[in-house]
Amino acid sequence: MEKQKLIINGGNQLQGEITVQGAKNSSLPLLSATVLVCEGECVLHNCPRLTDVDYAMRILSCIGVKCRREGSTVITDASAVNNNEIPQSLMREMRSSIVFLGAMLGRLNSCKLSFPGGCELGPRPIDLHLSALREMGAVITEQHGYLLCSAPRGLHGADISLSFPSVGATENIMLAAVRAKGITQIHNAAREPEICDLAKFLTACGAKVHGAGTDIIIVEGVERLSATEHTVISDRIVAATYLAAVGCCKGELILSGVQSAYLGQIIPLMQSMGCRIYSFGRDSVYIRVKDRLKAPPTIRTMPYPGFPTDAQALLMTATATAQGTTVFVENIFENRYRHVSELARMGAKIKVEGKVAVVEGVPTLYGSELQATDLRGGAALVLAALAAEGRSVVTRLCYIDRGYENIEAVLRTVGADIRRV
Ligand code: EPZ
């Protein structure tokens, strides 16, 4: 896996149709939520084939949840959960494994896990997760890189106010609260579509969750949850990736299976850059780009429904060859400009000062030897290589494979000259 690389000959326009995969950042908390279902099989459709989803399934198996994949459907049975420890090797593989904490406490009243790993996007603290769970009665001690968590008298409801609308913390609190005694209020909750998808699943299992999608979520604890069948929402960041790809390479695409409402600021922003984009039918988006894009003056990343931090690198690539200068302000993560030095090797003109990056559009990028630095940064390098003149080689594909199903196969079907060796 590690030795694989993408060979890309840039310059082709894109043309055709792509069905967008299920959302990684919804599949992961949903898989964690199935730990709370004490009997019966949960069926999750539209679960993307990604290494992060594989790791989540391995974590489930490790604690005693039976889980198997049938195509894009994952089936789990958590009736025999029997282990409260997630091994360090699995925890280190991805940051989002912290989202198992709330569900395991909710099910087993105890769990032992190590500090999460995953992309290096600056320090990935979990203070908001831990302080909220402590308010719900969890006793959490940190010893040699391990978290020892227990709720001797079970978890109880609490009024929690998040200092930052953390996606993961909101999910962990919801998962801990659905079977806790009493009512939990989450103030300044994250409003991402993945939160709504999780609430929809939990409600279908018999949980009492209200307000998902707003900044106040109320959960009333129930005795038990019953198994259900659920279809994961589409991945809005993967959709943004393929929209940005047309922005970089020109051409026209139809994306199907996309809830355009979840794309929020991305569609109006790209329209302001000169892209023709409109949504049609129940779940399709059309985009056509013929001429060089116009650089938007500013792009600020914000919690949903603001411009998503996960799309920052992707839109930066589109602005790298646009007409004019764009100022990026990355307000969510500290270290999310790691792709800039790689883009600079291709001739991009980008200056980074702390959380600000100033991109001065150039007419052309040139192919180069590139190393993916993190999941979305890696995808941004692929887009840049598709648009560049000449040949590029992209390595460290493990980052990209965490979030994109067969990225080269999908792009080849719409005309890109890209192959994995
Ligand atoms: C989720 O990460 C996503 N991951 C990220 O996507 C996404 O970038 C992020 O939300 C923001 O939208 C998953 O859903 C698996 P946060 P998460 O908690 O939950 C700080 C991708 O590319 N913070 O909202 O970790 C934190 O340091 C990934 O798929 C604390 O300070 O994001 C960061 O600066 C990358 N203390 C900010 O909040 C805490 O306890 C946002 O974090 C928790 C977070």
Side-chain angles (χ1 to χ4, degrees), residues 77-351:
D77 179 338
S79 40
V81 170
N82 54 16
N83 170 24
N84 74 347
E85 178 174 347
I86 300 179
Q88 178 126 343
S89 55
L90 284 179
M91 275 301 286
R92 295 183 71 80
E93 285 307 331
M94 62 177 185
R95 144 97 186 154
S96 36
S97 28
I98 189 67
V99 78
F100 284 92
L101 176 53
M104 285 175 66
L105 272 179
R107 174 68 189 269
L108 296 167
N109 282 335
S110 83
C111 79
K112 179 178 175 189
L113 41 87
S114 69
F115 280 100
C119 283
E120 299 73 39
L121 299 178
R124 305 292 299 277
I126 53 174
D127 55 310
L128 299 176
H129 299 244
L130 303 187
S131 53
L133 294 171
R134 285 179 172 127
E135 284 181 63
M136 297 175 70
V139 175
I140 301 176
T141 51
E142 303 162 38
Q143 249 172 33
H144 324 304
Y146 262 94
L147 292 175
L148 309 176
C149 317
S150 64
R153 289 193 304 285
L155 294 172
H156 55 75
D159 278 4
I160 292 156
S161 183
L162 292 173
S163 57
F164 178 86
S166 155
V167 173
T170 301
E171 290 164 348
N172 251 334
I173 298 163
M174 288 165 71
L175 292 170
V178 287
R179 290 181 8 137
K181 283 186 283 301
I183 292 177
T184 299
Q185 298 193 27
I186 311 172
H187 294 269
N188 195 23
R191 297 161 52 186
E192 272 73 1
E194 293 76 30
I195 302 283
C196 300
D197 205 25
L198 178 61
K200 185 177 170 198
F201 171 82
L202 291 169
T203 305
C205 293
K208 291 197 176 101
V209 183
H210 302 284
T214 75
D215 60 346
I216 298 182
I217 297 177
I218 314 272
V219 181
E220 189 183 335
V222 296
E223 273 302 303
R224 53 185 295 286
L225 297 182
S226 46
T228 191
E229 192 160 351
H230 180 84
T231 299
V232 180
I233 56 172
S234 68
D235 195 311
R236 58 196 170 95
I237 305 302
V238 169
T241 304
Y242 293 126
L243 291 174
V246 179
C248 297
C249 304
K250 316 285 177 281
E252 65 177 342
L253 271 189
I254 289 180
L255 296 186
S256 48
V258 180
Q259 285 97 343
S260 54
Y262 292 159
L263 283 167
Q265 307 263 325
I266 289 168
I267 290 186
L269 173 78
M270 293 188 72
Q271 283 167 335
S272 76
M273 294 169 70
C275 305
R276 261 183 66 117
I277 301 188
Y278 50 83
S279 52
F280 64 97
R282 216 169 51 80
D283 60 1
S284 303
V285 170
Y286 170 84
I287 178 171
R288 193 187 74 193
V289 176
K290 276 179 20 187
D291 311 315
R292 188 179 180 190
L293 297 183
K294 290 193 299 297
T298 312
I299 294 183
R300 285 183 189 80
T301 65
M302 296 299 280
Y304 193 89
F307 183 85
T309 173
D310 291 351
Q312 176 254 107
L314 310 168
L315 266 291
M316 181 180 283
T317 299
T319 60
T321 53
Q323 180 84 32
T325 298
T326 301
V327 175
F328 282 81
V329 187
E330 173 53 65
N331 293 309
I332 307 294
F333 285 105
E334 246 125 65
N335 181 17
R336 205 163 195 175
Y337 288 133
R338 298 156 60 91
H339 47 282
V340 167
S341 52
E342 295 299 296
L343 290 174
R345 294 160 59 84
M346 304 175 79
K349 277 209 183 117
I350 308 173
K351 241 196 240 26

